[in-house]
Amino acid sequence: MRINPVMEKELKVKMRGWKAPALITSYLGFLGLVVWMVFVSNNYLSRYYAPSFNPRVALSAYNVLAILQFCLLMFIIPPMTGGAVSGERERQTLDLLLCTNFHPLSIVLGKMSATVAHAMLLITASLPIMGTVFLFGGIRLRDLLLLMAFYLVTALFVASMGIFYSTVFRRSTVAIIMSYLTLGALSVGTFVFMAMYYVFRHSLYGTQFTYGEVMLFLTPNPIYAFSMMLENSDMGFILLDIFFGIRRIGMAQGSGMVNIKPWAANMIFNTLAAMVFILLASWRIRIVKKPLLKKRGRL
Amino acid sequence: MLTVENLVKKYGKFKALDGLSFHIDEGHIYGFVGPNGAGKTTTIKIIAGLLKPTSGRVMVDGIDISANPRGVKSKIGYMPDFFGVYDDLKVSEYMDFYAGVYGIEKSRARKITDELLELVDLSDKRDAYVDTLSRGMKQRLCLARSLIHDPKFLILDEPASGLDPRARVEMKEILKELRSMGKTILISSHILPELSEICNSIGIIEKGRMVISGTVEEIMRKISRNRTIRIKVQGDIEPALRFLQEQPELDNVSASSDYIEADYDGNPDTLVRILRGMVKNDIPVISFSEVEGNLESIFMHVTGGVAANED
Ligand SMILES: Nc1ncnc2c1ncn2[C@@H]1O[C@H](COP(=O)(O)OP(=O)(O)OP(=O)(O)O)[C@@H](O)[C@H]1O
Ligand SMILES: [Mg+2]
């Protein structure tokens, strides 16, 4: 199989110069700092409560790292993809691609895989830092692999969404903002919807949610899925408290039912959504909306 | 090689192309001329598969573009009027990238790139970053890029725009070379003289319609009912002017400082009669010749004198 030339070129350009090393360095530096702070603060606290080393500290460091990376993923990818197509339109390079016999789908896939690869590079590079946590035990390899898979699928989803928006909007900034808004709507909006529905339903029937109903609302929610995954891996979870009330509703009613795990449902949702976004983007990329550029600013 | 039939393109209510038809023979260089806004770029983008026509048909090398767009695209090399470059790439990487896009293997791509850079005279720039190239060099690089998959048919949208006279000459040389390689080429321009040397067919488009199309000779013949002769006489031109103005076959007799021009009906017998008459009347004729109809005057003639200024 031939390497996708768009991906190859994107990666080449991305990795060239000082930007990529600078990004990795600051990313790792930041994560390292966080781990160090977690250990120090925990040590400081445990001096009073538990004189001996507490593996829970390592666990919470792992969780903090996992959450941090997850957030970074969602923050970093929209700007990386926002200009994928609109940028080419602005720079008048898109027509040169579209006039070739290269399939639009391959253009989209090339751009997406370059972005995902870059994001996963950051995460892979941080594995040694995650590894420090192994030193103290408490984390299974299975959990780590699951975490990586979850990151990968989320990255695919966010990247394909970013590229889709980039085909829709002329301006890269608009595409980036739309990605953030969508992620915000998925993370917070779904909770709000569910809460509203809950109030409505409770006043009407006085019954509580079933597990299925919770999943109906929260399947697309990346934060919920991620938090459930961490908990599922027998890890203490910090965010849990934040959404405690609503989560409890789901758990209370779901007892006894064997259902798909929230993180698994979310991964399936993201995969399907990514495929839809990719197809839409490769259709949208061919559509010329505004008048042909008129004079000036050539080249 | 190219057949365009009844092409219509509407932007909303505005008809940019209004039943455009023309034909280009294999191996021909076709000059596609028209004033600003005539619809040249629109036509070209449709042929290049970047725009969908509202109606009409485009056939490239026997393939209908709507039936097999990708098959057609692999036969076409397209150079847009405005284009950009990826600024973080070197010239050779730029070429490699497009070679990859066309599915050309790396080793072959390298060889093709070398040849093409040689053709457009950019061999010494192969390791330069693309954005450090001058305008003319970028234009040539874009031409090389459009040739990377060895297309039979080249479409160049105003390849000479924004180039200085020297670069225009260089571009012309390259095009001549491509002609000798047997490529069919469509070149658009809104000024004719720059095409007159290299084209063997032209089409003049105005307001989305083809005004006239065919080989240069055909067109010359079609519109040469008004041909012009230029006469030079020794000494005073007044007697000659008077004589010529009396001739019923001549029109628009006008004198400039050292010659007289007049339109005639295109019949050679007329010329013989006029010349004989002048000699008989002792008018000292030193030169009697037909003015070469150039494409510029054809253009002015056909488009009814729409200014052909650049920009
Ligand atoms: N996307 C568009 N939407 C609306 N009108 C358009 C669009 N593209 C072109 N037009 C109009 O269609 C007409 C033909 O434009 P086109 O660019 O094909 O002309 P052209 O012959 O290439 O002119 P020029 O010599 O200036 O390049 C113009 O009147 C133009 O304003
Ligand atoms: Mg044009």
Side-chain angles (χ1 to χ4, degrees):
Chain A
M1 223 188 80
R2 182 171 280 132
I3 300 171
N4 184 315
V6 171
M7 182 189 78
E8 193 185 358
K9 189 218 79 186
E10 296 276 319
L11 282 178
K12 188 188 283 176
V13 170
K14 262 188 217 288
M15 292 304 142
R16 180 170 276 169
W18 56 272
K19 274 188 192 158
L23 182 61
I24 293 190
T25 310
S26 45
Y27 184 74
L28 294 185
F30 178 64
L31 289 185
L33 191 71
V34 169
V35 174
W36 181 73
M37 275 173 16
V38 170
F39 273 102
V40 167
S41 60
N42 273 287
N43 271 342
Y44 182 76
L45 289 177
S46 52
R47 197 169 297 162
Y48 296 96
Y49 301 110
S52 59
F53 179 78
N54 186 351
R56 288 195 64 84
V57 176
L59 261 179
S60 66
Y62 178 82
N63 283 343
V64 167
L65 272 184
I67 293 161
L68 214 58
Q69 298 227 49
F70 188 64
C71 295
L72 279 171
L73 210 58
M74 293 209 283
F75 271 101
I76 279 179
I77 293 180
M80 291 209 289
T81 51
V85 176
S86 55
E88 297 233 5
R89 271 198 230 274
E90 265 161 38
R91 278 190 308 181
Q92 299 182 297
T93 47
L94 189 63
D95 275 357
L96 297 182
L97 270 183
L98 293 179
C99 75
T100 67
N101 58 5
F102 199 56
H103 203 284
L105 185 64
S106 307
I107 301 178
V108 174
L109 287 176
K111 299 242 168 205
M112 192 191 67
S113 37
T115 303
V116 172
H118 194 186
M120 293 314 284
L121 175 71
L122 289 179
I123 287 178
T124 315
S126 73
L127 276 180
I129 296 183
M130 301 284 264
T132 56
V133 181
F134 275 107
L135 289 178
F136 306 100
I139 290 101
R140 285 172 297 168
L141 186 64
R142 188 189 139 266
D143 299 333
L144 194 67
L145 289 179
L146 182 62
L147 186 71
M148 286 292 154
F150 194 80
Y151 282 155
L152 180 65
V153 171
T154 306
L156 281 174
F157 168 70
V158 183
S160 59
M161 174 172 70
I163 290 170
F164 168 69
Y165 282 137
S166 182
T167 62
V168 174
F169 300 103
R170 290 267 138 200
R171 307 267 223 84
S172 309
T173 35
V174 180
I176 296 170
I177 289 169
M178 281 307 292
S179 285
Y180 283 145
L181 285 180
T182 310
L183 288 175
L186 291 178
S187 309
V188 182
T190 46
F191 272 127
V192 174
F193 261 127
M194 195 174 89
M196 274 162 37
Y197 179 73
Y198 177 67
V199 171
F200 163 78
R201 185 197 157 103
H202 197 77
S203 62
L204 224 58
Y205 309 109
T207 51
Q208 288 205 313
F209 274 154
T210 62
Y211 186 76
E213 276 172 317
V214 171
M215 287 311 295
L216 195 67
F217 284 95
L218 295 188
T219 293
N221 191 315
I223 305 285
Y224 177 72
F226 190 69
S227 65
M228 293 308 276
M229 185 185 69
L230 285 189
E231 192 210 38
N232 191 271
S233 312
D234 304 329
M235 288 183 256
F237 183 57
I238 299 166
L239 282 185
L240 207 66
D241 293 338
I242 303 172
F243 299 116
F244 189 70
I246 291 174
R247 231 198 96 257
R248 264 269 295 274
I249 298 160
M251 296 313 283
Q253 294 303 310
S255 57
M257 282 176 69
V258 183
N259 273 303
I260 186 164
K261 297 270 195 295
W263 55 263
N266 184 253
M267 278 168 87
I268 292 169
F269 172 83
N270 281 352
T271 310
L272 292 177
M275 290 198 293
V276 171
F277 277 131
I278 289 167
L279 290 177
L280 283 178
S282 70
W283 159 73
R284 228 357 268 221
I285 197 171
R286 279 174 284 190
I287 292 177
V288 195
K289 212 164 47 180
K290 77 166 189 185
L292 306 169
L293 286 152
K294 263 303 162 201
K295 305 294 130 177
R296 303 308 141 208
R298 309 165 148 177
L299 276 183
Chain B
M1 172 59 71
L2 174 78
T3 308
V4 172
E5 278 169 18
N6 239 327
L7 211 56
V8 176
K9 175 71 192 179
K10 286 189 196 165
Y11 292 111
K13 281 196 166 164
F14 176 71
K15 262 190 184 175
L17 297 180
D18 187 6
L20 188 81
S21 302
F22 64 103
H23 176 83
I24 305 179
D25 287 324
E26 181 141 11
H28 272 227
I29 309 239
Y30 188 88
F32 192 42
V33 199
N36 288 129
K40 302 181 295 290
T41 301
T42 305
T43 310
I44 285 175
K45 289 207 168 187
I46 291 173
I47 301 170
L50 296 171
L51 272 183
K52 289 247 179 307
T54 309
S55 67
R57 208 157 73 121
V58 177
M59 306 268 288
V60 177
D61 204 19
I63 306 174
D64 192 324
I65 186 163
S66 59
N68 182 3
R70 289 182 65 209
V72 168
K73 281 175 180 177
S74 62
K75 290 177 187 275
I76 293 182
Y78 164 63
M79 179 168 153
D81 46 356
F82 310 118
F83 60 90
V85 292
Y86 299 108
D87 33 5
D88 277 341
L89 288 181
K90 291 176 181 169
V91 167
S92 55
E93 291 168 341
Y94 179 84
M95 295 294 284
D96 281 349
F97 170 60
Y98 286 100
V101 162
Y102 277 107
I104 300 167
E105 299 139 36
K106 286 256 155 64
S107 56
R108 239 183 80 223
R110 199 127 304 159
K111 234 186 86 215
I112 297 171
T113 297
D114 286 344
E115 285 167 16
L116 288 176
L117 291 183
E118 185 73 31
L119 174 77
V120 300
D121 197 20
L122 282 176
S123 297
D124 53 333
K125 290 282 180 188
R126 54 172 309 135
D127 291 323
Y129 278 94
V130 172
D131 61 339
T132 65
L133 299 183
S134 74
R135 171 77 203 261
M137 290 174 182
K138 278 182 196 165
Q139 207 102 334
R140 272 161 22 216
L141 178 64
C142 190
L143 183 63
R145 174 207 56 82
S146 70
L147 287 164
I148 198 142
H149 55 302
D150 195 22
K152 290 170 99 172
F153 182 37
L154 263 183
I155 314 175
L156 313 175
D157 198 355
E158 305 203 20
S161 70
L163 296 184
D164 66 23
R166 191 197 169 81
R168 275 168 198 249
V169 172
E170 285 168 0
M171 184 59 84
K172 235 178 247 179
E173 290 308 313
I174 297 172
L175 292 179
K176 282 182 187 166
E177 204 153 333
L178 290 172
R179 181 175 62 183
S180 67
M181 287 159 69
K183 306 252 183 237
T184 309
I185 307 177
L186 185 155
I187 311 175
S188 88
S189 175
H190 51 271
I191 36 177
L192 258 167
E194 70 176 29
L195 296 181
S196 55
E197 253 181 76
I198 37 176
C199 295
N200 35 24
S201 299
I202 51 174
I204 297 176
I205 178 177
E206 213 197 351
K207 299 210 182 81
R209 289 173 165 278
M210 199 53 108
V211 181
I212 194 164
S213 172
T215 63
V216 172
E217 301 87 63
E218 270 169 22
I219 287 175
M220 294 289 222
R221 223 177 302 131
K222 251 185 230 170
I223 59 173
S224 65
R225 253 165 271 117
N226 289 43
R227 299 224 280 211
T228 308
I229 44 168
R230 180 177 292 179
I231 299 154
K232 280 187 190 169
V233 296
Q234 197 176 30
D236 191 11
I237 68 168
E238 274 306 315
L241 193 60
R242 231 175 298 124
F243 173 82
L244 292 170
Q245 275 164 347
E246 282 163 12
Q247 305 304 314
E249 298 100 327
L250 298 184
D251 250 347
N252 297 331
V253 180
S254 61
S256 61
S257 57
D258 62 340
Y259 59 82
I260 304 169
E261 277 189 355
D263 291 347
Y264 76 107
D265 54 9
N267 186 346
D269 296 343
T270 312
L271 293 184
V272 174
R273 215 173 316 117
I274 301 278
L275 184 57
R276 203 175 277 153
M278 289 179 87
V279 173
K280 217 179 267 173
N281 282 281
D282 277 337
I283 296 167
V285 181
I286 52 175
S287 146
F288 187 92
S289 61
E290 182 163 355
V291 178
E292 279 291 317
N294 62 20
L295 288 172
E296 178 75 355
S297 62
I298 295 177
F299 182 56
M300 290 306 229
H301 183 87
V302 172
T303 59
V306 181
N309 307 330
E310 195 187 348
D311 287 2

